[in-house]
Amino acid sequence: MEKIPAACAMDWSIELEKGLRSKRPGKPIEAILEIGSRLEWWNRTHKLTMSEYNMFGLIPGEDKLFANAILLRLADSFSSGDKNTKLSVAKIFLSEFRQRKKKRSSRENDGVLSKPRVVNNLELLKRVKLAFDTGDVEVRAMALVVFGCWADFAKDSAEIRYVVLSSVVSSHVSEVKAALFAAGCFSELSDDFASILLEILVNMLSSSEVLMAVKLAGLRALAKVGCLSSLASRAYKVLQNSAFLHFPD
């Protein structure tokens, strides 16, 4: 009988650990990319029924335990690894995020990174936040992308929400773009967060000191803000009057 991801989870977790500890050049990155494709496969499968747990000799919840062990190892790698390692981790979560977006609506996440299935979410956020706090602009941008991919549970952390919103007004374009990505992901799941973000975006779009590249990133984030308020009307007027949207004939 062909195995399913849940039945492979223990082996995957062990293989990832061995790969990350390997001293062979490139092996840790290879292990990260491999587990990324496996997580995507896992997301394409349905939740197991009790009969399926019995069929594969699994204890209910065992698959969740190993999935969380895998995620924690990836978060540790992001926290302590070099930039190439951090980039590889960010890439696999971004790829998983894009796959998930194609499959489901923003509010229907039941994959391995959904809030009910990530029991150690505070530890995951803590590790990536450490990298954000101690890293340079590139690392902060990568951490913000990870937060966006983890929006299902990251949005509930007041500390992470503050990190994302404060980064939206950073002086570094790459950090702002990454923060706007994360903020857009949060806004799709939280109307309260969307309202705060919309206020920031209105001010950003109406400012003559903000770079065009940042404004365009702000527009993409604005498209994800679905809250209805007087701010939405203000944003529409700003868009109508913004000089950077007026192109020559």
Side-chain angles (χ1 to χ4, degrees):
M1 182 183 298
E2 184 180 356
K3 279 194 172 184
I4 58 174
C8 301
M10 181 175 71
D11 291 337
W12 289 354
S13 180
I14 294 172
E15 288 175 17
L16 176 62
E17 178 68 13
K18 289 180 178 178
L20 293 174
R21 290 179 179 275
S22 174
K23 300 301 182 182
R24 181 162 66 85
K27 181 59 180 177
I29 301 298
E30 181 183 317
I32 291 170
L33 297 179
E34 183 176 36
I35 199 64
S37 63
R38 288 171 168 177
L39 290 177
E40 291 185 23
W41 175 29
W42 203 338
N43 271 346
R44 293 194 295 269
T45 63
H46 61 273
K47 291 182 180 179
L48 296 186
T49 63
M50 185 57 68
S51 61
E52 287 173 318
Y53 274 114
N54 294 332
M55 184 184 305
F56 290 97
L58 298 173
I59 300 171
E62 178 183 344
D63 53 332
K64 181 192 292 187
L65 177 66
F66 286 114
N68 278 265
I70 288 170
L71 296 176
L72 196 57
R73 286 191 174 98
L74 291 171
D76 280 333
S77 297
F78 188 90
S79 177
S80 61
D82 59 21
K83 279 191 180 179
N84 285 333
T85 300
K86 286 177 168 61
L87 181 60
S88 297
V89 173
K91 280 183 174 179
I92 68 167
F93 284 124
L94 185 58
S95 179
E96 184 277 339
F97 170 82
R98 288 170 174 165
Q99 177 218 40
R100 185 172 7 114
K101 291 288 287 182
K102 291 178 181 178
K103 183 179 177 182
R104 308 175 180 90
S105 72
S106 60
R107 294 179 183 264
E108 295 177 346
N109 176 19
D110 61 357
V112 292
L113 280 166
S114 63
K115 184 179 177 181
R117 296 177 67 177
V118 181
V119 295
N120 54 358
N121 59 77
L122 294 180
E123 288 300 317
L124 296 178
L125 295 173
K126 178 181 177 180
R127 284 157 171 75
V128 177
K129 174 66 163 48
L130 177 62
F132 178 92
D133 290 339
T134 57
D136 59 15
V137 174
E138 288 181 285
V139 172
R140 292 199 299 271
M142 286 187 278
L144 288 164
V145 168
V146 173
F147 289 143
C149 296
W150 292 355
D152 207 42
F153 55 88
K155 72 181 190 308
D156 297 324
S157 167
E159 185 176 30
I160 301 304
R161 290 198 303 271
Y162 175 78
V163 165
V164 172
L165 289 173
S166 60
S167 297
V168 169
V169 293
S170 166
S171 59
H172 301 284
V173 175
S174 60
E175 185 175 350
V176 173
K177 288 183 175 180
L180 287 170
F181 165 77
C185 296
F186 284 27
S187 295
E188 289 186 274
L189 302 171
S190 170
D191 291 338
D192 290 340
F193 186 93
S195 295
I196 298 172
L197 175 62
L198 187 54
E199 179 73 60
I200 294 174
L201 290 177
V202 167
N203 294 331
M204 176 186 292
L205 293 173
S206 59
S207 173
S208 60
E209 299 179 359
V210 176
L211 296 175
M212 183 182 294
V214 173
K215 288 188 176 184
L216 291 175
L219 282 175
R220 285 191 286 271
L222 184 62
K224 296 183 178 182
V225 179
C227 59
L228 298 176
S229 67
S230 59
L231 288 175
S233 177
R234 280 183 58 201
Y236 176 73
K237 291 178 180 178
V238 168
L239 293 179
Q240 282 187 315
N241 298 325
S242 290
F244 75 95
L245 290 178
H246 296 165
F247 298 99
D249 295 332

